[in-house]
Every structure is written in structure tokens, then in C-alpha cells.
Amino acid sequence: MKLRSTESFWPLKHAMETSYPSIESDINTEILIIGGGITGALIAYKLINEGKKIVLADRRDICNGSTAASTALLQYEIDVSLHELIKLRGLECAVDSYKNGKKAIFDLRKIVDDIKSDCQFEFKKSIYFCSLKKDVPFLKSEFIARKEHGFDVSWLEKWDLEKFGLNAIAAIESQTAAVMDPYRFAQDLLLYCKKKGMQIFDRTNIISTQNQKGKLTANTENNYNIVADHIIHCSGYESTETLTEKVVDLKSTYVIASESIPGLPNIFKKAIFWDTSSPYLYFRTTSDNRIIMGGGDEDFKDPEKRDKLLPKKEQFLLKKFQKKFPKINFKIDYSWAGTFGETKDGLPYFGKPNPNNNEHYVLGFGGNGITFSVIGMNSILASLENKKHPDLEYYKFGR
């Protein structure tokens, strides 16, 4: 599956500073990670620091799938609001999931510092706003739920939002959010793991896996075998190719990035923004004073049809931006399309679909893929060792 169109911002910025070989022989290892994006990199970081022997393989160039298309808004908020998630999954799962997301942002910062990544990680505020009066009761219910369960949030009125240059009615302001360069971070993380002994192969397409006498064998397109005790699938939306259970609905999403904007207001740069519309719009800045905006989501059909819509979606997003932030002159410099997935409860999937097979999945579906992947680090050892963990229960297959 082609996960994005070809002109996303991050790879162009870095121009493939690091490259890896494709596989050229059969290999034996303790753990095989399939997927060389940010999820695979985070899981590798956790396991390499536990002394595990790891091989990581990706069918394309490393970090050139969904990671390259990510807008990297790091939020504890989930695509399903807290008050709705409580109804869907119960109080404990819902509140813990939001708290896990908040902790994940700080955990991510620790990893950035540990590997000394130059990924321009910055803490921000999160502004969750509505532009229609009919959405105010929904937003109020969400505000009350977050306050009740200990989240540091404030209620903003229309005049408060005008300080950001935002044309909206009301908003919830959360104190914990962040942004970063996801491509740079994932590349830095994989290089760290390589230096600690992990083998990395790109352009290595795994076409099948077999379970034989307690060992798993992954067969590549070029007829090489990787034999492992465990396989961890970190292949995101491409996992739909290997899962028998349908867990996600695929969507197409669209992104525009502006030229660098001199004199961008500091108050605007201190926050990320997203709205209550469905599908929602989202906005962030970069360290070089660009604005990245995404949205315009629709059901995924195929990459060609998705990409043909890009010129139309560029203008759709630009008009939406001008309506929300009328005083900021947004000139499109880059645009791209990507594929992402929505689950019924907005939550990820972790663990083993088949308890008798040592194939594990870490699938951070939805708009919180990076923070979900950080959360997935916390339960991966329990999954490998067949131990109980609350996250393996909350985010299990067949739920």
C-alpha cells in the first residue's frame, strides 16, 4: 500500500541523511520488528535497552511511510472525547487512556533528551475549539469531564481566542501538548539502536510468516528467511494486510504547509489548534515559522484516487484556514496526502491477536499514533513474556 503522496515536508527537509541495506542472506534473531517508522523505532529503543537481539525490516526506505506524512501533534486528547469514551469503554479505561497519553508526551521528551535528538521537540498548549453554537454543549461536557478527572484545562471564550487570531466561539485550553519533527526523531532513534547492535534493513518486503516448532519464519520477496522467536508488527495501516480481524477503517487525509511567515505572533506559536468539526481540522507551527494544517479526511479508496484530490483539498484547507485565522497570510509551500485509520473507540491495538502465536502488534491508529506508540512501549515486554498488563487488556484484539 502507498501510504502517502510524494511531496511531504520532512523527507525533503532532511534529504535521506541515513540509508540502510536490503537483506542479502538468511538471518536468525531473537526479535524481528516489521516496520521502520516511528513505532518500530520506539519499540526497538525499548527492547535494545533491555539487551534484546533485534532485526528491523521495512519494505521501503526507512521512515518513508506514515512517519514521513505525520504532522506530529502530540496530544493526550484522543479522537474520541473523554466524556464519550467513558460511555464507550467505561470510566477506568477512558480516564487511564487520557492519562497514559499525557504521560507519553513527557516520556517522549525523556527519550529525545536521552538520544540527544535534534527533532525540535517543543511543549505547547492545546486549543480545542468550536466554531458553531451547536457544538458548545458538547465542548462544555468535555470540559466538565476533564476537570472532574484532574486534567489541567481552562475554558476560553470568543474574546480569549481573538488573542490567538482565531475566529471561533469557545475552546478548551489544555496545558500539555507538544510538537516535533517526527522524521528526524525516528531517524535519530534508529541510528541510536543501530549503534547498540540492532540490524536494520530497508527495501526488504516480507510477504509471509510461518510458525514452525516454536520459531517464526518471515519470508522476504527476494527469497530470504528471517527466523525469530518473536515478530512484532509495527506496520501501522499496512497491518490490514496481515490481520484477519477488521480493527480499523482507513481514511485519506490531506496536509498543507506554508512558506515561512515572518512576524508570526508568539502567542500563536505557543499552541496547537484543533476543532470540533467532523472530520476535524488541526494546525501547528514549525521551528522555522511555517504553519502545518491538516484535515479534509474522507474514506480511503486507493492511493491514486487519494492523490488526485490533492489540488482540490489544498484549496479547501486554505479557505478553512483563512476563515479561522483571517489575519495570517498563509501561502502554500508544500502539500501532501496520507493514509490513516480510525478505530471505533479511537484507541490503539496492542498484543497478540492469536495467543498461541508469538506475533505481536503495536498499532497506534488515529490522530495520536506517536503517543500511542510510546504507550505501546510500556506493555511490549509483558506481551513478549506472556504476562498480564492493563494496557494489553484495554487495547486488546477482539474487544
Side-chain angles (χ1 to χ4, degrees), residues 196-370:
K196 296 199 77 170
M198 183 171 77
Q199 291 180 275
I200 301 174
F201 300 98
D202 64 11
R203 304 281 177 138
T204 297
N205 187 20
I206 293 169
I207 56 174
S208 66
T209 60
Q210 289 91 37
N211 188 352
Q212 298 172 327
K213 298 178 181 179
K215 291 279 188 177
L216 293 162
T217 301
N219 315 114
T220 74
E221 193 173 49
N222 294 328
N223 296 316
Y224 296 112
N225 294 323
I226 305 172
V227 179
D229 297 323
H230 298 269
I231 292 177
I232 305 174
H233 294 266
C234 300
S235 48
Y237 312 117
E238 289 178 319
S239 63
T240 55
E241 298 171 12
T242 57
L243 287 169
T244 56
E245 176 188 351
K246 184 182 179 184
V247 298
V248 66
D249 292 318
L250 295 183
K251 303 286 182 177
S252 297
T253 192
Y254 300 86
V255 184
I256 54 175
S258 74
E259 297 178 359
S260 182
I261 303 173
L264 200 59
N266 282 331
I267 191 170
F268 181 86
K269 292 192 287 186
K270 289 180 179 178
I272 61 175
F273 303 86
W274 57 305
D275 72 354
T276 55
S277 63
S278 182
Y280 60 83
L281 303 169
Y282 47 97
F283 316 81
R284 60 159 287 191
T285 56
T286 65
S287 60
D288 57 349
N289 278 0
R290 298 176 188 268
I291 297 170
I292 295 177
M293 175 191 179
D297 304 347
E298 57 181 61
D299 290 341
F300 174 82
K301 296 179 178 64
D302 62 63
E304 290 73 26
K305 290 180 179 178
R306 178 198 64 197
D307 294 352
K308 283 181 181 178
L309 285 173
L310 190 53
K312 180 181 176 182
K313 294 293 184 176
E314 284 179 5
Q315 295 309 307
F316 167 82
L317 292 173
L318 184 60
K319 287 178 182 177
K320 289 289 185 181
F321 183 89
Q322 291 167 339
K323 190 172 182 179
K324 304 299 181 189
F325 297 96
K327 295 181 181 179
I328 298 176
N329 185 18
F330 191 116
K331 295 180 181 178
I332 297 175
D333 209 1
Y334 297 95
S335 64
W336 64 93
T339 301
F340 79 107
E342 290 180 347
T343 61
K344 290 181 180 179
D345 54 13
L347 296 175
Y349 279 83
F350 300 156
K352 298 195 291 186
N354 179 354
N356 299 316
N357 191 354
N358 285 333
E359 290 196 66
H360 314 257
Y361 285 78
V362 181
L363 303 176
F365 294 131
N368 301 68
I370 295 174

Side-chain angles (χ1 to χ4, degrees), residues 54-65:
I54 308 170
V55 168
L56 180 144
D58 196 293
R59 63 170 49 162
R60 55 177 66 80
D61 290 318
I62 291 296
C63 300
N64 271 261

